[in-house]
Every structure is written in C-alpha cells, then in structure tokens.
Amino acid sequence: MLDETYIDKSLPLHAAQVIVVWWYNDAGYPGSRLFRERIEQDFPFEKLKAMVDH
C-alpha cells in the first residue's frame, strides 16, 4: 500500500517518485532460493532509499 503523503504533488506528473523492487520466488526452482537470499542480504536497499528520499 502506498502512503499518499509520501508523494510530492508539487512535482510534474511525469517525475518518478516511487521505485518498486519485485522478484518472484519459486521454491521448486533451485536457483530461486539462492537468488532471493542474495538479494535480501546484498542489495543496497538503504542506498536506494536514500536516493529516492533525497
């Protein structure tokens, strides 16, 4: 759910204000678990959040 107060309504409509990171995790596929673990452990979510919140 998106917090509507997060959106800066003074920006033009075409200005990106939200980034969605999504991946599909299929327990039946051997590489899926490893990929999920690596993303959760190693992806710099805090750096991405700092860039978006800037």
Side-chain angles (χ1 to χ4, degrees):
M1 176 176 255
L2 180 63
D3 178 358
E4 293 291 331
T5 62
Y6 186 80
I7 303 298
D8 183 348
K9 298 195 187 296
S10 68
L11 293 174
L13 292 176
H14 64 274
Q17 297 188 55
V18 177
I19 295 175
V20 176
V21 178
W22 180 83
W23 62 89
Y24 178 73
N25 184 37
D26 181 359
Y29 180 67
S32 186
R33 181 179 56 86
L34 179 60
F35 178 76
R36 179 184 54 83
E37 289 172 355
R38 294 275 170 86
I39 288 289
E40 290 174 351
Q41 291 173 6
D42 300 331
F43 188 86
F45 285 106
E46 290 304 314
K47 289 181 181 179
L48 182 63
K49 184 177 184 306
M51 180 181 70
V52 173
D53 287 345
H54 182 19

